[in-house]
Amino acid sequence: MAAAPEGKGILLKADPIAAAFREEVTSTLKTCETKPKLVGILSTSAAPSKFYAEFTRKQCEDLGVEFILKKTGAALSEELSEGDGVEEAILEANVDDSVHGILVYFPIFGPQQDHYLQQVISPMKDVEGLNFKFHYNLYHNIRFLEPKTLLETSTAPSQGTSTIDGEVPPAGMVKSIIPCTPLAVVKCLEYLGVYNRILPYGDRAYGKTVTVINRSEVVGRPLAALLSNDGARVFSVDIDSIQEYNKRPQASSDSTRYNPRHVVHPCHMTLQEILAISDVVVSAVPSANYKVTTEWLKAGCICLNVAADKNFEKDVRDKASIYLPAVGKVTILMLLRNLLRLQQYQCVVREGRESN
Amino acid sequence: MAAAPEGKGILLKADPIAAAFREEVTSTLKTCETKPKLVGILSTSAAPSKFYAEFTRKQCEDLGVEFILKKTGAALSEELSEGDGVEEAILEANVDDSVHGILVYFPIFGPQQDHYLQQVISPMKDVEGLNFKFHYNLYHNIRFLEPKTLLETSTAPSQGTSTIDGEVPPAGMVKSIIPCTPLAVVKCLEYLGVYNRILPYGDRAYGKTVTVINRSEVVGRPLAALLSNDGARVFSVDIDSIQEYNKRPQASSDSTRYNPRHVVHPCHMTLQEILAISDVVVSAVPSANYKVTTEWLKAGCICLNVAADKNFEKDVRDKASIYLPAVGKVTILMLLRNLLRLQQYQCVVREGRESN
């Protein structure tokens, strides 16, 4: 009984997944009257941020998006401190009508102050989808919003908006903005067939079990919420707990009676036990030392590494049928797609104002 | 927390799956120099066989395939016995060069004698793929054969043929014929996204767990073999045992070292336990009383009923994301596809003979 060499899982680069969105962005750009302008704000001397800023510039130039890199603080001069002037730069871009999107290179001050800064960016220009309004909509499975509410300074969510299924927004409403990285993961899973197009929109991950390792507010928690709102059974893993995100009650014999959005349950299984039943494993642990144990994976599962470091062992494809080592190329296209949407929302609101 | 009415799984008819194959058959027919001729042999008075014969006629007429129904025995006259003259009719059609395919309406005499009759049909005209050569190839994951071997009267499998991966047959070889019903199920599962096109040909069901209820030689066993040869972990269930068909060793941490074809292991789990981990459940139990317990299904699984009777409970879509109640419309197209292939193989062999 010979071992077939092709038994190793597929190592899949993000390029073919990014290609479809590159085309979408390119063709939408052709229909734009005004070339969209993205402002990047770099205020630290951190090498990864600098690298990401250059990557953004290259992607924008390739596609025909105007990109302006505004440097402040330590990025501008050695005499300045890390983060100096970043808030002012955001506020300036917020009110500059020629600017359609703002991208701030985090981390800057640490989680708490960075979270504050994320809320300073006008939701109308928040290409990364980090504003509380967008997170609230995501967690509550609210898929559409009225564009003018993106100008309101209050972060309180609008009360009247309810969950509406369907891909097309109702009259007067537009799609909410979804955080780039979780959205990129969803697009990768759509490409990989984890989302089943035969199932109704909003429930296409039904029947799939996904483990998401990381529960940060930027990646892991919104991703677990997105996937479970789309019907998946999701295990959310962080350093000291495992939770189950699921809109269906697991114990019931009737899975049709589900909640309009995911409910979080405590999970009493171990990581080894949940990996044994997971069709998909997404890891986003910002540590070079963290590795998912290959032996614990279900044979034929799909593994996505979302961290800058490699969170999977070298032999991951001994168990995984498909391994995607990085999703950055898809993430940047989600960001540009958000930019084009926001530019359009800005138009809608401006026209509305002018006609009143 | 309201129950969403759309939470019920999808009831999917086979028509959209059949449509693609109908088109394939239609366009292949346009390229045929000779209109293919299928002979149906009806030798009993059984209503389902009569019904199936009429169904075959209608499908053939719609598509432009010549269909001749030859009646013998009780189908021809009340004075004759069930099955009288069926073997003679087969032998006659075997040597009639104007006949490209033979379809005998079983059951006739019972499993043993019917199995003998199946072997009487020339493999070169065996549109249902019931000949031992085809079953041997299927069980041994041998995907290609030399067309001239279909003229050999011996049922012994050719020794030199080995497993070859890839969708395109090597020079001088053609695709083996796969039994219609199991093939129809595979095509349905391809349509439903259970087969992942990103994975290499021959391993596209890797990572999926399938339960097949029925282990007959016509449906259940060849289906379990096909699916496990394609990488799935398959539980084969019959009235007194459960077996696991798998080409990968489940206990190993290295799933790349798999066998060239499935290995059958005894399974010590109960039906309830295997259903709880099955992504797909195929049932083909020829009994109106047999029902798969909905409560045991994994939420979001896909259920296919292959039996003439309904093997799933009325509430199956409370748990299943997709329920396909019948596959007959796909099966008949697989039969016609086999007919067109065999007609082509007959040409190849005739030309080979003439040029020698």
Side-chain angles (χ1 to χ4, degrees):
Chain A
M1 301 290 185
E6 66 271 35
K8 238 181 155 57
I10 290 175
L11 176 69
L12 193 76
K13 298 298 173 76
D15 306 69
I17 307 173
F21 296 105
R22 186 178 305 277
E23 209 155 289
E24 183 191 321
V25 166
T26 308
S27 72
T28 309
L29 273 168
K30 279 182 194 149
T31 67
C32 287
E33 284 179 39
T34 316
K35 193 174 178 174
K37 189 204 263 187
L38 176 65
V39 168
I41 301 177
L42 182 67
S43 65
T44 71
S45 57
S49 292
K50 251 193 216 167
F51 177 84
Y52 185 34
E54 277 319 303
F55 177 68
T56 323
R57 178 194 300 285
K58 200 180 164 322
Q59 294 285 321
C60 286
E61 281 172 359
D62 282 359
L63 284 159
V65 168
E66 190 181 347
F67 179 74
I68 307 287
L69 185 63
K70 183 153 178 109
K71 292 183 181 177
T72 74
L76 186 64
S77 152
E78 283 180 13
E79 287 159 31
L80 295 171
S81 300
E82 303 281 351
D84 263 6
V86 60
E87 185 167 359
E88 291 73 12
I90 297 171
L91 290 168
E92 198 181 302
N94 274 350
V95 295
D96 181 344
D97 275 354
S98 79
V99 173
H100 303 100
I102 302 169
L103 168 58
V104 177
Y105 296 96
F106 293 106
I108 302 171
F109 300 111
Q112 297 207 13
Q113 196 174 338
D114 285 359
H115 186 255
Y116 162 79
L117 276 178
Q118 285 163 6
Q119 309 313 311
V120 173
I121 303 166
S122 164
M124 195 56 118
K125 300 187 177 179
D126 180 15
V127 290
E128 287 202 284
L130 299 173
N131 191 275
F132 167 79
K133 281 179 205 273
F134 301 135
H135 275 93
Y136 178 89
N137 284 356
L138 186 157
Y139 289 126
H140 290 256
N141 202 10
I142 295 168
R143 301 192 177 213
F144 306 117
L145 49 78
E146 284 180 82
K148 68 166 193 245
T149 60
L150 297 182
L151 293 175
E152 290 159 13
T153 47
S154 153
T155 56
S158 33
Q159 289 301 313
T161 326
S162 66
T163 303
I164 302 158
D165 276 336
E167 268 172 299
V168 181
M173 301 190 91
V174 295
K175 285 190 175 182
S176 189
I177 296 295
I178 297 176
C180 294
T181 305
L183 182 58
V185 172
V186 166
K187 294 298 174 186
C188 291
L189 295 182
E190 283 182 352
Y191 179 90
L192 297 172
V194 172
Y195 273 61
N196 193 336
R197 288 182 170 272
I198 293 169
L199 297 180
Y201 177 79
D203 207 32
R204 290 183 175 160
Y206 179 29
K208 300 303 193 303
T209 304
V210 184
T211 290
V212 177
I213 308 174
N214 167 311
R215 205 185 295 137
S216 75
E217 283 305 307
V218 177
V219 180
R221 197 166 84 94
L223 177 59
L226 270 177
L227 295 170
S228 52
N229 286 343
D230 281 342
R233 180 186 193 188
V234 180
F235 295 108
S236 167
V237 179
D238 81 352
I239 203 155
D240 47 35
S241 75
I242 299 180
Q243 297 174 339
E244 179 176 337
Y245 286 51
N246 201 332
K247 64 180 179 184
R248 289 181 170 79
Q250 278 300 310
S252 164
S253 69
D254 179 357
S255 294
T256 65
R257 303 184 73 78
Y258 61 74
N259 294 302
R261 64 183 190 91
H262 69 278
V263 174
V264 180
H265 309 272
C267 170
H268 302 295
M269 287 187 273
T270 64
L271 179 60
Q272 183 169 0
E273 286 165 340
I274 61 166
L275 290 178
I277 57 169
S278 289
D279 304 303
V280 177
V281 181
V282 180
S283 188
V285 179
S287 155
N289 297 321
Y290 181 78
K291 301 286 175 201
V292 177
T293 306
T294 301
E295 208 179 330
W296 294 355
L297 297 171
K298 184 170 96 158
C301 70
I302 293 175
C303 294
L304 275 77
N305 180 59
V306 177
D309 303 296
K310 295 273 167 283
N311 285 174
F312 290 92
E313 296 182 323
K314 277 197 182 133
D315 62 357
V316 58
R317 292 188 290 134
D318 287 357
K319 274 306 201 45
S321 61
I322 300 171
Y323 171 53
L324 199 64
V327 302
K329 285 181 179 170
V330 181
T331 307
I332 185 75
L333 283 159
M334 293 303 109
L335 187 150
L336 295 176
R337 205 161 162 257
N338 284 345
L339 172 69
L340 291 169
R341 287 196 177 163
L342 288 169
Q343 184 186 21
Q344 196 207 328
Y345 300 174
Q346 290 159 27
C347 277
V348 170
V349 169
R350 205 171 299 127
E351 281 162 16
R353 250 196 247 140
E354 281 161 10
S355 69
N356 281 344
Chain B
M1 302 291 184
E6 65 271 36
K8 237 179 157 59
I10 290 174
L11 177 69
L12 194 74
K13 298 298 174 76
D15 306 72
I17 307 173
F21 295 105
R22 186 178 304 277
E23 209 155 290
E24 184 192 320
V25 166
T26 308
S27 72
T28 308
L29 274 168
K30 279 182 194 148
T31 68
C32 287
E33 283 180 41
T34 315
K35 192 174 179 176
K37 189 203 263 188
L38 177 65
V39 169
I41 300 177
L42 183 66
S43 63
T44 71
S45 58
S49 292
K50 251 193 217 168
F51 177 84
Y52 186 33
E54 277 320 303
F55 178 67
T56 323
R57 179 194 300 283
K58 198 180 167 321
Q59 294 286 319
C60 286
E61 280 173 1
D62 281 0
L63 284 158
V65 168
E66 190 180 346
F67 179 73
I68 307 287
L69 185 64
K70 181 147 181 117
K71 292 183 182 178
T72 75
L76 185 66
S77 152
E78 283 181 15
E79 287 159 33
L80 294 172
S81 301
E82 303 281 351
D84 263 5
V86 59
E87 186 167 358
E88 291 73 15
I90 297 171
L91 290 168
E92 197 180 305
N94 273 351
V95 295
D96 181 344
D97 275 353
S98 78
V99 174
H100 303 100
I102 301 169
L103 168 58
V104 177
Y105 295 97
F106 293 106
I108 302 172
F109 300 110
Q112 297 206 13
Q113 197 175 337
D114 285 359
H115 187 256
Y116 161 79
L117 277 178
Q118 284 163 8
Q119 309 312 311
V120 172
I121 302 167
S122 164
M124 195 56 118
K125 300 186 178 181
D126 179 15
V127 290
E128 287 202 282
L130 299 172
N131 190 273
F132 168 78
K133 282 179 204 273
F134 301 135
H135 276 92
Y136 179 89
N137 284 356
L138 187 157
Y139 289 125
H140 290 257
N141 202 11
I142 294 169
R143 300 191 179 214
F144 306 117
L145 50 78
E146 285 181 81
K148 67 165 192 244
T149 59
L150 297 182
L151 292 176
E152 290 160 13
T153 46
S154 153
T155 57
S158 33
Q159 289 303 312
T161 325
S162 66
T163 304
I164 302 158
D165 276 337
E167 267 172 300
V168 181
M173 300 190 94
V174 296
K175 285 190 175 181
S176 189
I177 296 295
I178 298 177
C180 294
T181 305
L183 182 58
V185 172
V186 166
K187 293 298 173 186
C188 291
L189 296 181
E190 282 182 352
Y191 179 89
L192 298 171
V194 173
Y195 273 62
N196 192 334
R197 288 184 170 271
I198 292 168
L199 296 179
Y201 176 79
D203 206 32
R204 289 183 174 159
Y206 179 30
K208 300 302 192 303
T209 303
V210 183
T211 290
V212 176
I213 308 174
N214 167 309
R215 204 186 293 139
S216 75
E217 283 305 307
V218 177
V219 180
R221 197 167 83 95
L223 177 59
L226 269 176
L227 295 170
S228 53
N229 285 343
D230 280 342
R233 180 185 193 190
V234 180
F235 295 108
S236 167
V237 178
D238 80 355
I239 203 154
D240 47 35
S241 74
I242 299 180
Q243 298 174 339
E244 179 176 338
Y245 286 51
N246 201 332
K247 63 179 181 185
R248 290 181 170 78
Q250 278 299 310
S252 162
S253 68
D254 179 357
S255 294
T256 66
R257 303 184 72 78
Y258 61 72
N259 294 303
R261 64 181 190 96
H262 69 279
V263 174
V264 180
H265 310 273
C267 169
H268 303 295
M269 287 188 274
T270 63
L271 179 60
Q272 184 170 0
E273 286 165 340
I274 62 166
L275 290 178
I277 59 168
S278 289
D279 304 302
V280 176
V281 181
V282 180
S283 189
V285 180
S287 155
N289 297 320
Y290 182 79
K291 300 285 175 200
V292 177
T293 307
T294 301
E295 209 179 329
W296 294 354
L297 297 170
K298 183 170 94 158
C301 69
I302 293 174
C303 294
L304 274 77
N305 180 59
V306 178
D309 303 296
K310 296 272 167 283
N311 287 173
F312 291 91
E313 297 182 321
K314 277 200 181 128
D315 63 356
V316 57
R317 292 188 291 135
D318 288 357
K319 274 304 200 46
S321 62
I322 300 171
Y323 171 53
L324 199 64
V327 301
K329 286 180 179 170
V330 181
T331 307
I332 185 75
L333 284 158
M334 293 303 109
L335 187 149
L336 294 176
R337 205 162 163 256
N338 284 344
L339 172 69
L340 290 169
R341 288 198 178 162
L342 287 169
Q343 183 185 22
Q344 197 206 326
Y345 300 174
Q346 290 159 26
C347 278
V348 170
V349 169
R350 204 172 301 127
E351 281 163 16
R353 249 197 248 139
E354 281 161 10
S355 70
N356 280 343

